[in-house]
């Protein structure tokens, strides 16, 4: 079994991105800039944003974090986003989620200029991705896609089963696999016979948020299994895949933690660089 090392893959990607940023600096005499808006003092968001900023600086990007208290008015945030949209020195804008209840998430996402939407959450980017046009792609499914391609460069005709239908993971993951000519089945918590669906798969991406849902006897031999889950349980953090069981049958499997997670931030940096490059065309 191949244990997919997300930490190593992310470090390799960051190394490539670092070289690319140096080349862009020579060519354009400036570097891509990622600006993050962080509202409130929720501990996980603080940690995520600190890691994003640290990684951005590590590969040579400019990064700024704009902080607001939990009580900030929605219009203040929307005005700031509009200002950043107009600012040519800003390549990418990310508003850290979740937001306080009094701020409309959809409004915030739709205010970000699609060409600076490094999360790929704007409906314009969602539509472009599903139409097969160039777009920002949400960072976690992009990371999963890159890990799968490392194991199996030619995905044409493979059967992929995506477990989970979220806008964040399941749906964009499906689009990426379709683009690679996979035959994709989207399943979810209400699917009638999830086990039977999974048993058909050459590739399984589990992103449904149910601890250790995918069992060893759900997976045929030789399947690539990507576990997007991060579930807090009594025995610590576990994925959506029963690691011990599935590692005995899968061809390749991502651990939790240390699989998909590290790729997410590296892909955010990639998206920021890609937004910058498109803006220079
Ligand atoms: N909060 C947790 N994950 C994410 C993400 O991928 N993007 C944003 N903007 N907020 C998040």
């Amino acid at each position: 079994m191949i244990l997919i090392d997300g930490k190593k893959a992310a470090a390799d990607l960051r190394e490539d991105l670092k070289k690319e940023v140096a080349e862009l600096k020579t060519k354009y005499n400036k570097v891509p800039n990622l600006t993050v808006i962080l509202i409130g003092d929720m501990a996980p968001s603080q940690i995520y944003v600190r890691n994003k900023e640290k990684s951005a600086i590590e590969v040579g990007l400019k990064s700024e974090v704009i902080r607001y208290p939990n009580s900030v008015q929605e219009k203040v945030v929307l005005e700031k986003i509009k200002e950043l949209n107009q600012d040519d020195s800003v390549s990418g804008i990310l508003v850290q989620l979740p937001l306080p209840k009094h701020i409309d998430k959809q409004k915030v996402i739709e205010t970000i200029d699609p060409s600076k939407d490094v999360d790929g959450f704007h409906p314009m980017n969602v539509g472009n991705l599903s139409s097969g046009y160039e777009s920002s792609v949400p960072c976690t499914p992009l990371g999963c896609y890159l890990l799968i391609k490392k194991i199996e460069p030619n995905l044409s005709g493979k059967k992929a089963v995506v477990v989970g239908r979220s806008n964040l993971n399941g749906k964009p993951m499906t689009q990426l696999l379709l683009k690679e000519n996979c035959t994709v089945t989207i399943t979810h918590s209400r699917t009638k016979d999830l086990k039977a669906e999974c048993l058909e798969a050459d590739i399984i991406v589990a992103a449904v948020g149910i601890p250790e849902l995918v069992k060893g006897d759900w997976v045929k031999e030789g399947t690539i299994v990507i576990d997007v889950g991060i579930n807090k349980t009594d025995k610590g953090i576990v994925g959506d895949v029963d690691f011990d069981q599935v590692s005995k049958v899968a061809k390749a499997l991502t651990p939790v933690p240390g699989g998909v997670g590290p790729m997410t931030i590296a892909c955010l940096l990639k998206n920021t660089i890609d937004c910058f490059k498109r803006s220079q065309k």
Side-chain angles (χ1 to χ4, degrees):
M1 210 266 310
I2 302 166
L3 184 65
I4 301 174
D5 187 344
K7 272 192 197 163
K8 167 83 167 53
D12 290 349
L13 176 56
R14 284 199 303 271
E15 209 44 54
D16 292 345
L17 295 175
K18 198 171 173 176
K19 285 183 200 135
E20 194 173 4
V21 172
E23 285 165 16
L24 291 170
K25 193 173 179 181
T26 307
K27 190 169 175 188
Y28 297 108
N29 199 28
K30 57 183 172 181
V31 295
N33 168 336
L34 172 65
T35 299
V36 177
I37 296 180
L38 174 59
I39 303 170
D41 51 12
M42 273 185 39
S45 291
Q46 300 276 343
I47 295 167
Y48 283 137
V49 168
R50 201 173 316 131
N51 287 337
K52 285 170 184 175
E53 193 181 18
K54 205 179 108 210
S55 304
I57 288 167
E58 212 178 279
V59 304
L61 302 181
K62 268 195 187 162
S63 177
E64 194 192 345
V65 180
I66 299 169
R67 290 183 167 79
Y68 290 111
N70 206 59
S71 59
V72 68
Q73 279 187 299
E74 181 184 273
K75 70 169 187 223
V76 172
V77 178
L78 298 180
E79 282 310 312
K80 177 52 84 177
I81 294 171
K82 287 176 194 163
E83 187 188 312
L84 296 172
N85 286 343
Q86 297 298 323
D87 185 342
D88 285 341
S89 74
V90 174
S91 326
I93 303 167
L94 180 143
V95 180
Q96 183 67 24
L97 304 175
L99 297 171
K101 279 198 184 70
H102 66 279
I103 298 182
D104 183 340
K105 180 175 94 176
Q106 202 58 25
K107 234 189 224 173
V108 165
I109 288 171
E110 288 181 15
T111 303
I112 298 172
D113 185 321
S115 71
K116 297 189 178 188
D117 167 33
V118 285
D119 268 323
F121 293 166
H122 192 289
M124 180 85 89
N125 282 317
V126 176
N128 280 340
L129 177 63
S130 78
S131 299
Y133 303 145
E134 198 171 43
S135 70
S136 283
V137 179
C139 303
T140 300
L142 180 57
C144 295
Y145 165 81
L146 294 174
L147 291 176
I148 295 167
K149 286 283 278 187
K150 261 186 195 250
I151 304 289
E152 180 60 71
N154 182 8
L155 299 177
S156 185
K158 300 277 183 204
K159 282 195 177 170
V161 170
V162 177
V163 188
R165 54 178 153 180
S166 70
N167 292 333
L168 202 61
N169 291 305
K171 285 180 197 159
M173 190 71 239
T174 299
Q175 299 298 348
L176 289 171
L177 292 166
L178 267 180
K179 254 188 174 174
E180 291 290 317
N181 301 312
C182 286
T183 302
V184 191
T185 304
I186 311 178
T187 66
H188 43 80
S189 57
R190 314 272 175 87
T191 295
K192 275 224 173 97
D193 193 347
L194 206 43
K195 176 180 172 181
E197 299 292 348
C198 286
L199 273 169
E200 296 283 318
D202 303 308
I203 298 157
I204 296 173
V205 180
V208 72
I210 302 174
E212 297 178 320
L213 175 72
V214 178
K215 303 294 179 198
D217 62 356
W218 291 27
V219 178
K220 69 177 187 194
E221 231 167 88
T223 302
I224 299 171
V225 182
I226 306 291
D227 190 350
V228 183
I230 302 176
N231 305 294
K232 278 188 192 142
T233 68
D234 293 344
K235 62 174 192 181
I237 299 219
V238 302
D240 292 350
V241 175
D242 189 320
F243 185 89
D244 291 342
Q245 291 184 13
V246 172
S247 60
K248 293 192 173 74
V249 284
K251 172 181 172 185
L253 173 62
T254 57
V256 177
V260 173
M263 283 299 278
T264 297
I265 290 188
C267 287
L268 171 66
L269 309 178
K270 177 175 165 35
N271 279 351
T272 306
I273 294 166
D274 289 344
C275 284
F276 173 86
K277 287 197 292 192
R278 287 196 287 268
S279 73
Q280 301 303 314
K281 271 183 192 164

